Amino acid sequence: MDHGDKIRAGFSTVLLSPIFPPEHDQETRRLLQRMYSAHFLRPSCWAWLAIMLSTTRVSSESLTSDQLDSVKDRLAEAAQKSWELGTRAQALLEYDARTYSVFSGTSLPPPSTVADTTDGLSAVFDMAEAIVSDRASSNGNIDGPQPLMKDGSAADPASNGVSVLLANWTGQGSLDYAGAAQDQLDYLLKNVSRSSDGAISHRVSQVQLWSDFVYMVPPFLAYYGVLTSNESLVTEAYNQIKLYRDHLRDTDANNLWKHVVLGSGIDEGHWSTGNGWAAAGMLRVLATIQNSEFDGSFSDQKDDLASWTLEIHSAMYDVVDDTNIFRNYADDEDTSMMVLRLLSWRLRCTGCLSRKALYASGSTSSFAPTSTTSGASPSSTVPSGLQHFTADGWLTPVVNPHSYGNEGSESAEGQAFVLMMQAAYQDWVDAGSPETMGYAFAPPPGVPS
């Protein structure tokens, strides 16, 4: 049996198991891992992946180019906070500048000469320029280790680190991008407090671990390590994910992740969005490693990252109901608010499990509030003809990105993950699609076949 046959034969088993089946030899396990992360388990795949799992044919419904441009325009308007800017940059790299995305499948480091600056790449460089230009005043004109911008989160500013590293790598302008990236790195590794076992705090004011961290910091550490051939930084990216999993994974809840632990103001609920942040961050680190010079020396770590992502994947699917929309807190049946995002899986795409559901036609969309929401829940009229998009391109309904217990109306993250899902879908199409590739899909536990 050749490796292609092994992959096709083992695909169902892998989807149903949190680890790669032991009967596969190491080379086949690596092929499975690459296939998963490169095409099917990248953060932005989950929405359309569910439709592949539960139907024999993927829905042909999609957004038009004009509609996607509107989504991108609304994203540009809404992205203001540190993590929103970082998420926007990641979405643009995946959607508009795929050569510079870690999911492109091309070797890292990327080209140092930009042959053709796309609109997306130009926007990424513009954000990096603005951030580095403003960082001194933002941080009170201090010298030495400092975040890329002042923030109550010790982690969120680092979500912009990849953009700054790319601007330096490709020689954009005269700003000291290298120095800014180095200061951000030193701030994380030397200045930010840690838990007793070495987990870098997500917050500045106290040692506290948030699931969000896994998307913000480890991808930056891994990318920095790959660009500078610093294996210890790649190892640190993996170690931080492992430490966070040790603290946040709830083995009493089928391995769903808690949202916030340690310190005061904890949230031990299984926030769907946080589970998505964690899975997406792991996959970015996995893709960074496997496209780098360190691919051969991190086999065990890559297996872990793929396994831990599938672990969250299975746990989330186990609690989704027949609406195909995740609750704000995944396993809280009393939580009436459900978040439809894009399932870039920040699962912040916390919600939509399928492109078919996301692009469903309809005239209105209503969203019931949680018990923590004050006031009435708005209903969004959607003359666009798509149930989950307004006429001017806002995804709806969404959680309030600045108050995670409440409903919102405009979410930069939601917009970003629409673009990520579209990019992932295009990757799948470019790969030949499962129908033509002959793969056998089986749903994870809890997903109807």
PDB file of all heavy atoms in Angstrom, residues 243-276:
ATOM      1  N   LEU A 243       2.387  24.368  28.487  1.00  0.00           N
ATOM      2  CA  LEU A 243       2.089  24.870  29.824  1.00  0.00           C
ATOM      3  C   LEU A 243       0.658  25.380  29.923  1.00  0.00           C
ATOM      4  O   LEU A 243      -0.044  25.112  30.909  1.00  0.00           O
ATOM      5  CB  LEU A 243       3.071  25.983  30.192  1.00  0.00           C
ATOM      6  CG  LEU A 243       4.513  25.541  30.473  1.00  0.00           C
ATOM      7  CD1 LEU A 243       5.442  26.746  30.528  1.00  0.00           C
ATOM      8  CD2 LEU A 243       4.583  24.747  31.783  1.00  0.00           C
ATOM      9  N   TYR A 244       0.238  26.106  28.931  1.00  0.00           N
ATOM     10  CA  TYR A 244      -1.139  26.625  28.946  1.00  0.00           C
ATOM     11  C   TYR A 244      -2.146  25.478  28.893  1.00  0.00           C
ATOM     12  O   TYR A 244      -3.187  25.517  29.569  1.00  0.00           O
ATOM     13  CB  TYR A 244      -1.347  27.607  27.793  1.00  0.00           C
ATOM     14  CG  TYR A 244      -1.145  29.044  28.229  1.00  0.00           C
ATOM     15  CD1 TYR A 244       0.129  29.540  28.496  1.00  0.00           C
ATOM     16  CD2 TYR A 244      -2.230  29.901  28.395  1.00  0.00           C
ATOM     17  CE1 TYR A 244       0.319  30.841  28.911  1.00  0.00           C
ATOM     18  CE2 TYR A 244      -2.048  31.210  28.814  1.00  0.00           C
ATOM     19  CZ  TYR A 244      -0.778  31.693  29.075  1.00  0.00           C
ATOM     20  OH  TYR A 244      -0.603  32.977  29.495  1.00  0.00           O
ATOM     21  N   ARG A 245      -1.849  24.469  28.104  1.00  0.00           N
ATOM     22  CA  ARG A 245      -2.745  23.314  28.066  1.00  0.00           C
ATOM     23  C   ARG A 245      -2.804  22.628  29.427  1.00  0.00           C
ATOM     24  O   ARG A 245      -3.878  22.221  29.888  1.00  0.00           O
ATOM     25  CB  ARG A 245      -2.279  22.333  26.991  1.00  0.00           C
ATOM     26  CG  ARG A 245      -3.116  21.052  26.909  1.00  0.00           C
ATOM     27  CD  ARG A 245      -2.638  20.188  25.743  1.00  0.00           C
ATOM     28  NE  ARG A 245      -3.309  18.907  25.694  1.00  0.00           N
ATOM     29  CZ  ARG A 245      -2.876  17.796  26.308  1.00  0.00           C
ATOM     30  NH1 ARG A 245      -1.738  17.850  27.008  1.00  0.00           N
ATOM     31  NH2 ARG A 245      -3.552  16.666  26.219  1.00  0.00           N
ATOM     32  N   ASP A 246      -1.657  22.509  30.074  1.00  0.00           N
ATOM     33  CA  ASP A 246      -1.622  21.890  31.398  1.00  0.00           C
ATOM     34  C   ASP A 246      -2.533  22.623  32.380  1.00  0.00           C
ATOM     35  O   ASP A 246      -3.184  21.992  33.223  1.00  0.00           O
ATOM     36  CB  ASP A 246      -0.192  21.880  31.944  1.00  0.00           C
ATOM     37  CG  ASP A 246       0.722  20.903  31.213  1.00  0.00           C
ATOM     38  OD1 ASP A 246       0.208  20.025  30.488  1.00  0.00           O
ATOM     39  OD2 ASP A 246       1.963  21.043  31.350  1.00  0.00           O
ATOM     40  N   HIS A 247      -2.587  23.937  32.280  1.00  0.00           N
ATOM     41  CA  HIS A 247      -3.387  24.731  33.209  1.00  0.00           C
ATOM     42  C   HIS A 247      -4.868  24.827  32.805  1.00  0.00           C
ATOM     43  O   HIS A 247      -5.748  24.846  33.671  1.00  0.00           O
ATOM     44  CB  HIS A 247      -2.822  26.153  33.300  1.00  0.00           C
ATOM     45  CG  HIS A 247      -1.611  26.280  34.162  1.00  0.00           C
ATOM     46  ND1 HIS A 247      -1.674  26.426  35.537  1.00  0.00           N
ATOM     47  CD2 HIS A 247      -0.283  26.278  33.851  1.00  0.00           C
ATOM     48  CE1 HIS A 247      -0.458  26.516  36.033  1.00  0.00           C
ATOM     49  NE2 HIS A 247       0.413  26.439  35.029  1.00  0.00           N
ATOM     50  N   LEU A 248      -5.151  24.898  31.521  1.00  0.00           N
ATOM     51  CA  LEU A 248      -6.499  25.257  31.068  1.00  0.00           C
ATOM     52  C   LEU A 248      -7.343  24.078  30.607  1.00  0.00           C
ATOM     53  O   LEU A 248      -8.577  24.164  30.612  1.00  0.00           O
ATOM     54  CB  LEU A 248      -6.397  26.287  29.946  1.00  0.00           C
ATOM     55  CG  LEU A 248      -5.853  27.656  30.357  1.00  0.00           C
ATOM     56  CD1 LEU A 248      -5.582  28.519  29.133  1.00  0.00           C
ATOM     57  CD2 LEU A 248      -6.812  28.378  31.290  1.00  0.00           C
ATOM     58  N   ARG A 249      -6.727  22.990  30.191  1.00  0.00           N
ATOM     59  CA  ARG A 249      -7.515  21.843  29.743  1.00  0.00           C
ATOM     60  C   ARG A 249      -8.274  21.242  30.914  1.00  0.00           C
ATOM     61  O   ARG A 249      -7.713  20.946  31.951  1.00  0.00           O
ATOM     62  CB  ARG A 249      -6.597  20.785  29.115  1.00  0.00           C
ATOM     63  CG  ARG A 249      -7.342  19.561  28.587  1.00  0.00           C
ATOM     64  CD  ARG A 249      -6.394  18.641  27.858  1.00  0.00           C
ATOM     65  NE  ARG A 249      -5.362  18.105  28.731  1.00  0.00           N
ATOM     66  CZ  ARG A 249      -5.219  16.810  29.045  1.00  0.00           C
ATOM     67  NH1 ARG A 249      -6.059  15.921  28.547  1.00  0.00           N
ATOM     68  NH2 ARG A 249      -4.239  16.408  29.822  1.00  0.00           N
ATOM     69  N   ASP A 250      -9.570  21.057  30.721  1.00  0.00           N
ATOM     70  CA  ASP A 250     -10.439  20.536  31.772  1.00  0.00           C
ATOM     71  C   ASP A 250     -10.758  19.077  31.460  1.00  0.00           C
ATOM     72  O   ASP A 250     -11.631  18.775  30.643  1.00  0.00           O
ATOM     73  CB  ASP A 250     -11.722  21.369  31.850  1.00  0.00           C
ATOM     74  CG  ASP A 250     -12.570  21.037  33.064  1.00  0.00           C
ATOM     75  OD1 ASP A 250     -12.302  19.992  33.708  1.00  0.00           O
ATOM     76  OD2 ASP A 250     -13.498  21.800  33.372  1.00  0.00           O
ATOM     77  N   THR A 251     -10.061  18.162  32.123  1.00  0.00           N
ATOM     78  CA  THR A 251     -10.265  16.741  31.857  1.00  0.00           C
ATOM     79  C   THR A 251     -11.620  16.249  32.368  1.00  0.00           C
ATOM     80  O   THR A 251     -12.062  15.165  31.989  1.00  0.00           O
ATOM     81  CB  THR A 251      -9.147  15.902  32.502  1.00  0.00           C
ATOM     82  OG1 THR A 251      -9.089  16.191  33.915  1.00  0.00           O
ATOM     83  CG2 THR A 251      -7.800  16.228  31.860  1.00  0.00           C
ATOM     84  N   ASP A 252     -12.268  17.060  33.208  1.00  0.00           N
ATOM     85  CA  ASP A 252     -13.615  16.714  33.668  1.00  0.00           C
ATOM     86  C   ASP A 252     -14.685  17.187  32.694  1.00  0.00           C
ATOM     87  O   ASP A 252     -15.878  16.961  32.926  1.00  0.00           O
ATOM     88  CB  ASP A 252     -13.877  17.332  35.044  1.00  0.00           C
ATOM     89  CG  ASP A 252     -13.009  16.710  36.134  1.00  0.00           C
ATOM     90  OD1 ASP A 252     -12.697  15.513  36.012  1.00  0.00           O
ATOM     91  OD2 ASP A 252     -12.643  17.427  37.085  1.00  0.00           O
ATOM     92  N   ALA A 253     -14.282  17.851  31.624  1.00  0.00           N
ATOM     93  CA  ALA A 253     -15.234  18.361  30.630  1.00  0.00           C
ATOM     94  C   ALA A 253     -14.801  17.947  29.229  1.00  0.00           C
ATOM     95  O   ALA A 253     -14.865  18.729  28.286  1.00  0.00           O
ATOM     96  CB  ALA A 253     -15.355  19.879  30.726  1.00  0.00           C
ATOM     97  N   ASN A 254     -14.332  16.712  29.124  1.00  0.00           N
ATOM     98  CA  ASN A 254     -13.973  16.153  27.823  1.00  0.00           C
ATOM     99  C   ASN A 254     -12.888  16.960  27.129  1.00  0.00           C
ATOM    100  O   ASN A 254     -12.849  17.069  25.906  1.00  0.00           O
ATOM    101  CB  ASN A 254     -15.216  16.039  26.916  1.00  0.00           C
ATOM    102  CG  ASN A 254     -14.985  15.150  25.727  1.00  0.00           C
ATOM    103  OD1 ASN A 254     -14.173  14.233  25.764  1.00  0.00           O
ATOM    104  ND2 ASN A 254     -15.685  15.433  24.630  1.00  0.00           N
ATOM    105  N   ASN A 255     -12.008  17.577  27.916  1.00  0.00           N
ATOM    106  CA  ASN A 255     -10.830  18.314  27.422  1.00  0.00           C
ATOM    107  C   ASN A 255     -11.139  19.665  26.823  1.00  0.00           C
ATOM    108  O   ASN A 255     -10.288  20.245  26.131  1.00  0.00           O
ATOM    109  CB  ASN A 255     -10.041  17.460  26.419  1.00  0.00           C
ATOM    110  CG  ASN A 255      -9.477  16.203  27.043  1.00  0.00           C
ATOM    111  OD1 ASN A 255      -8.961  16.238  28.164  1.00  0.00           O
ATOM    112  ND2 ASN A 255      -9.608  15.084  26.354  1.00  0.00           N
ATOM    113  N   LEU A 256     -12.329  20.202  27.044  1.00  0.00           N
ATOM    114  CA  LEU A 256     -12.552  21.607  26.719  1.00  0.00           C
ATOM    115  C   LEU A 256     -11.611  22.462  27.572  1.00  0.00           C
ATOM    116  O   LEU A 256     -11.227  22.086  28.678  1.00  0.00           O
ATOM    117  CB  LEU A 256     -14.001  22.004  27.012  1.00  0.00           C
ATOM    118  CG  LEU A 256     -15.069  21.434  26.079  1.00  0.00           C
ATOM    119  CD1 LEU A 256     -16.460  21.677  26.663  1.00  0.00           C
ATOM    120  CD2 LEU A 256     -14.971  22.054  24.689  1.00  0.00           C
ATOM    121  N   TRP A 257     -11.243  23.617  27.046  1.00  0.00           N
ATOM    122  CA  TRP A 257     -10.357  24.504  27.785  1.00  0.00           C
ATOM    123  C   TRP A 257     -11.152  25.519  28.600  1.00  0.00           C
ATOM    124  O   TRP A 257     -12.152  26.072  28.128  1.00  0.00           O
ATOM    125  CB  TRP A 257      -9.427  25.250  26.824  1.00  0.00           C
ATOM    126  CG  TRP A 257      -8.251  24.465  26.348  1.00  0.00           C
ATOM    127  CD1 TRP A 257      -8.204  23.132  26.072  1.00  0.00           C
ATOM    128  CD2 TRP A 257      -6.940  24.978  26.084  1.00  0.00           C
ATOM    129  NE1 TRP A 257      -6.955  22.779  25.640  1.00  0.00           N
ATOM    130  CE2 TRP A 257      -6.153  23.895  25.640  1.00  0.00           C
ATOM    131  CE3 TRP A 257      -6.369  26.239  26.163  1.00  0.00           C
ATOM    132  CZ2 TRP A 257      -4.814  24.042  25.288  1.00  0.00           C
ATOM    133  CZ3 TRP A 257      -5.033  26.397  25.799  1.00  0.00           C
ATOM    134  CH2 TRP A 257      -4.266  25.308  25.376  1.00  0.00           C
ATOM    135  N   LYS A 258     -10.688  25.773  29.817  1.00  0.00           N
ATOM    136  CA  LYS A 258     -11.203  26.883  30.605  1.00  0.00           C
ATOM    137  C   LYS A 258     -10.733  28.190  29.974  1.00  0.00           C
ATOM    138  O   LYS A 258      -9.761  28.212  29.225  1.00  0.00           O
ATOM    139  CB  LYS A 258     -10.707  26.781  32.048  1.00  0.00           C
ATOM    140  CG  LYS A 258     -11.140  25.502  32.753  1.00  0.00           C
ATOM    141  CD  LYS A 258     -10.497  25.404  34.130  1.00  0.00           C
ATOM    142  CE  LYS A 258     -10.850  24.091  34.812  1.00  0.00           C
ATOM    143  NZ  LYS A 258     -10.210  23.970  36.149  1.00  0.00           N
ATOM    144  N   HIS A 259     -11.399  29.273  30.329  1.00  0.00           N
ATOM    145  CA  HIS A 259     -11.043  30.554  29.726  1.00  0.00           C
ATOM    146  C   HIS A 259      -9.913  31.262  30.467  1.00  0.00           C
ATOM    147  O   HIS A 259      -8.893  31.616  29.874  1.00  0.00           O
ATOM    148  CB  HIS A 259     -12.274  31.460  29.671  1.00  0.00           C
ATOM    149  CG  HIS A 259     -12.034  32.775  29.024  1.00  0.00           C
ATOM    150  ND1 HIS A 259     -12.803  33.892  29.267  1.00  0.00           N
ATOM    151  CD2 HIS A 259     -11.089  33.179  28.130  1.00  0.00           C
ATOM    152  CE1 HIS A 259     -12.356  34.905  28.557  1.00  0.00           C
ATOM    153  NE2 HIS A 259     -11.315  34.505  27.859  1.00  0.00           N
ATOM    154  N   VAL A 260     -10.063  31.468  31.789  1.00  0.00           N
ATOM    155  CA  VAL A 260      -9.107  32.261  32.557  1.00  0.00           C
ATOM    156  C   VAL A 260      -8.840  31.564  33.890  1.00  0.00           C
ATOM    157  O   VAL A 260      -9.789  31.252  34.632  1.00  0.00           O
ATOM    158  CB  VAL A 260      -9.630  33.686  32.829  1.00  0.00           C
ATOM    159  CG1 VAL A 260      -8.594  34.501  33.607  1.00  0.00           C
ATOM    160  CG2 VAL A 260      -9.986  34.400  31.531  1.00  0.00           C
ATOM    161  N   VAL A 261      -7.569  31.341  34.216  1.00  0.00           N
ATOM    162  CA  VAL A 261      -7.214  30.760  35.504  1.00  0.00           C
ATOM    163  C   VAL A 261      -6.082  31.569  36.142  1.00  0.00           C
ATOM    164  O   VAL A 261      -5.384  32.324  35.473  1.00  0.00           O
ATOM    165  CB  VAL A 261      -6.781  29.279  35.378  1.00  0.00           C
ATOM    166  CG1 VAL A 261      -7.914  28.435  34.811  1.00  0.00           C
ATOM    167  CG2 VAL A 261      -5.525  29.135  34.514  1.00  0.00           C
ATOM    168  N   LEU A 262      -5.927  31.388  37.446  1.00  0.00           N
ATOM    169  CA  LEU A 262      -4.947  32.061  38.304  1.00  0.00           C
ATOM    170  C   LEU A 262      -5.343  33.518  38.536  1.00  0.00           C
ATOM    171  O   LEU A 262      -6.004  34.148  37.709  1.00  0.00           O
ATOM    172  CB  LEU A 262      -3.525  31.981  37.727  1.00  0.00           C
ATOM    173  CG  LEU A 262      -2.969  30.587  37.431  1.00  0.00           C
ATOM    174  CD1 LEU A 262      -1.505  30.698  36.949  1.00  0.00           C
ATOM    175  CD2 LEU A 262      -3.052  29.676  38.637  1.00  0.00           C
ATOM    176  N   GLY A 263      -4.903  34.050  39.672  1.00  0.00           N
ATOM    177  CA  GLY A 263      -5.175  35.436  39.992  1.00  0.00           C
ATOM    178  C   GLY A 263      -6.624  35.680  40.358  1.00  0.00           C
ATOM    179  O   GLY A 263      -7.388  34.767  40.684  1.00  0.00           O
ATOM    180  N   SER A 264      -7.022  36.938  40.298  1.00  0.00           N
ATOM    181  CA  SER A 264      -8.400  37.324  40.615  1.00  0.00           C
ATOM    182  C   SER A 264      -9.171  37.573  39.332  1.00  0.00           C
ATOM    183  O   SER A 264      -8.599  37.948  38.313  1.00  0.00           O
ATOM    184  CB  SER A 264      -8.401  38.597  41.467  1.00  0.00           C
ATOM    185  OG  SER A 264      -7.780  39.672  40.780  1.00  0.00           O
ATOM    186  N   GLY A 265     -10.496  37.334  39.400  1.00  0.00           N
ATOM    187  CA  GLY A 265     -11.322  37.524  38.213  1.00  0.00           C
ATOM    188  C   GLY A 265     -11.200  36.384  37.233  1.00  0.00           C
ATOM    189  O   GLY A 265     -11.162  36.595  36.014  1.00  0.00           O
ATOM    190  N   ILE A 266     -11.146  35.150  37.732  1.00  0.00           N
ATOM    191  CA  ILE A 266     -10.996  33.999  36.845  1.00  0.00           C
ATOM    192  C   ILE A 266     -12.321  33.674  36.152  1.00  0.00           C
ATOM    193  O   ILE A 266     -13.392  34.095  36.591  1.00  0.00           O
ATOM    194  CB  ILE A 266     -10.480  32.763  37.603  1.00  0.00           C
ATOM    195  CG1 ILE A 266     -11.504  32.291  38.637  1.00  0.00           C
ATOM    196  CG2 ILE A 266      -9.132  33.048  38.233  1.00  0.00           C
ATOM    197  CD1 ILE A 266     -11.131  30.984  39.303  1.00  0.00           C
ATOM    198  N   ASP A 267     -12.236  32.934  35.084  1.00  0.00           N
ATOM    199  CA  ASP A 267     -13.413  32.458  34.347  1.00  0.00           C
ATOM    200  C   ASP A 267     -13.137  31.015  33.962  1.00  0.00           C
ATOM    201  O   ASP A 267     -12.463  30.747  32.968  1.00  0.00           O
ATOM    202  CB  ASP A 267     -13.659  33.324  33.105  1.00  0.00           C
ATOM    203  CG  ASP A 267     -14.831  32.846  32.265  1.00  0.00           C
ATOM    204  OD1 ASP A 267     -15.573  31.944  32.730  1.00  0.00           O
ATOM    205  OD2 ASP A 267     -15.002  33.355  31.140  1.00  0.00           O
ATOM    206  N   GLU A 268     -13.654  30.090  34.751  1.00  0.00           N
ATOM    207  CA  GLU A 268     -13.386  28.677  34.498  1.00  0.00           C
ATOM    208  C   GLU A 268     -14.403  28.046  33.556  1.00  0.00           C
ATOM    209  O   GLU A 268     -14.389  26.834  33.351  1.00  0.00           O
ATOM    210  CB  GLU A 268     -13.328  27.907  35.821  1.00  0.00           C
ATOM    211  CG  GLU A 268     -12.126  28.311  36.672  1.00  0.00           C
ATOM    212  CD  GLU A 268     -11.913  27.379  37.846  1.00  0.00           C
ATOM    213  OE1 GLU A 268     -12.910  26.846  38.387  1.00  0.00           O
ATOM    214  OE2 GLU A 268     -10.735  27.180  38.230  1.00  0.00           O
ATOM    215  N   GLY A 269     -15.272  28.865  32.964  1.00  0.00           N
ATOM    216  CA  GLY A 269     -16.192  28.364  31.965  1.00  0.00           C
ATOM    217  C   GLY A 269     -15.458  27.997  30.683  1.00  0.00           C
ATOM    218  O   GLY A 269     -14.330  28.443  30.429  1.00  0.00           O
ATOM    219  N   HIS A 270     -16.103  27.174  29.879  1.00  0.00           N
ATOM    220  CA  HIS A 270     -15.483  26.685  28.643  1.00  0.00           C
ATOM    221  C   HIS A 270     -15.915  27.574  27.484  1.00  0.00           C
ATOM    222  O   HIS A 270     -16.767  27.210  26.677  1.00  0.00           O
ATOM    223  CB  HIS A 270     -15.869  25.217  28.430  1.00  0.00           C
ATOM    224  CG  HIS A 270     -15.589  24.372  29.629  1.00  0.00           C
ATOM    225  ND1 HIS A 270     -16.568  23.693  30.331  1.00  0.00           N
ATOM    226  CD2 HIS A 270     -14.412  24.133  30.292  1.00  0.00           C
ATOM    227  CE1 HIS A 270     -16.022  23.060  31.351  1.00  0.00           C
ATOM    228  NE2 HIS A 270     -14.714  23.308  31.347  1.00  0.00           N
ATOM    229  N   TRP A 271     -15.305  28.730  27.445  1.00  0.00           N
ATOM    230  CA  TRP A 271     -15.645  29.752  26.451  1.00  0.00           C
ATOM    231  C   TRP A 271     -15.278  29.231  25.066  1.00  0.00           C
ATOM    232  O   TRP A 271     -14.116  28.899  24.795  1.00  0.00           O
ATOM    233  CB  TRP A 271     -14.887  31.029  26.782  1.00  0.00           C
ATOM    234  CG  TRP A 271     -15.302  32.236  26.019  1.00  0.00           C
ATOM    235  CD1 TRP A 271     -16.560  32.650  25.697  1.00  0.00           C
ATOM    236  CD2 TRP A 271     -14.408  33.226  25.498  1.00  0.00           C
ATOM    237  NE1 TRP A 271     -16.527  33.831  25.014  1.00  0.00           N
ATOM    238  CE2 TRP A 271     -15.215  34.205  24.866  1.00  0.00           C
ATOM    239  CE3 TRP A 271     -13.024  33.376  25.499  1.00  0.00           C
ATOM    240  CZ2 TRP A 271     -14.665  35.323  24.243  1.00  0.00           C
ATOM    241  CZ3 TRP A 271     -12.487  34.494  24.882  1.00  0.00           C
ATOM    242  CH2 TRP A 271     -13.303  35.461  24.263  1.00  0.00           C
ATOM    243  N   SER A 272     -16.251  29.142  24.200  1.00  0.00           N
ATOM    244  CA  SER A 272     -16.005  28.583  22.871  1.00  0.00           C
ATOM    245  C   SER A 272     -14.942  29.365  22.127  1.00  0.00           C
ATOM    246  O   SER A 272     -14.061  28.793  21.471  1.00  0.00           O
ATOM    247  CB  SER A 272     -17.308  28.577  22.061  1.00  0.00           C
ATOM    248  OG  SER A 272     -18.253  27.716  22.635  1.00  0.00           O
ATOM    249  N   THR A 273     -15.022  30.670  22.232  1.00  0.00           N
ATOM    250  CA  THR A 273     -14.042  31.515  21.564  1.00  0.00           C
ATOM    251  C   THR A 273     -12.628  31.213  22.027  1.00  0.00           C
ATOM    252  O   THR A 273     -11.687  31.149  21.240  1.00  0.00           O
ATOM    253  CB  THR A 273     -14.369  32.992  21.815  1.00  0.00           C
ATOM    254  OG1 THR A 273     -15.602  33.303  21.213  1.00  0.00           O
ATOM    255  CG2 THR A 273     -13.286  33.903  21.256  1.00  0.00           C
ATOM    256  N   GLY A 274     -12.462  31.020  23.324  1.00  0.00           N
ATOM    257  CA  GLY A 274     -11.142  30.711  23.858  1.00  0.00           C
ATOM    258  C   GLY A 274     -10.616  29.383  23.363  1.00  0.00           C
ATOM    259  O   GLY A 274      -9.413  29.225  23.111  1.00  0.00           O
ATOM    260  N   ASN A 275     -11.481  28.388  23.247  1.00  0.00           N
ATOM    261  CA  ASN A 275     -11.059  27.112  22.676  1.00  0.00           C
ATOM    262  C   ASN A 275     -10.594  27.302  21.241  1.00  0.00           C
ATOM    263  O   ASN A 275      -9.636  26.662  20.787  1.00  0.00           O
ATOM    264  CB  ASN A 275     -12.210  26.103  22.742  1.00  0.00           C
ATOM    265  CG  ASN A 275     -12.342  25.458  24.096  1.00  0.00           C
ATOM    266  OD1 ASN A 275     -11.793  24.390  24.341  1.00  0.00           O
ATOM    267  ND2 ASN A 275     -13.058  26.109  25.008  1.00  0.00           N
ATOM    268  N   GLY A 276     -11.273  28.208  20.527  1.00  0.00           N
ATOM    269  CA  GLY A 276     -10.852  28.496  19.165  1.00  0.00           C
ATOM    270  C   GLY A 276      -9.521  29.213  19.095  1.00  0.00           C
ATOM    271  O   GLY A 276      -8.677  28.907  18.245  1.00  0.00           O
TER     272      GLY A 276
END
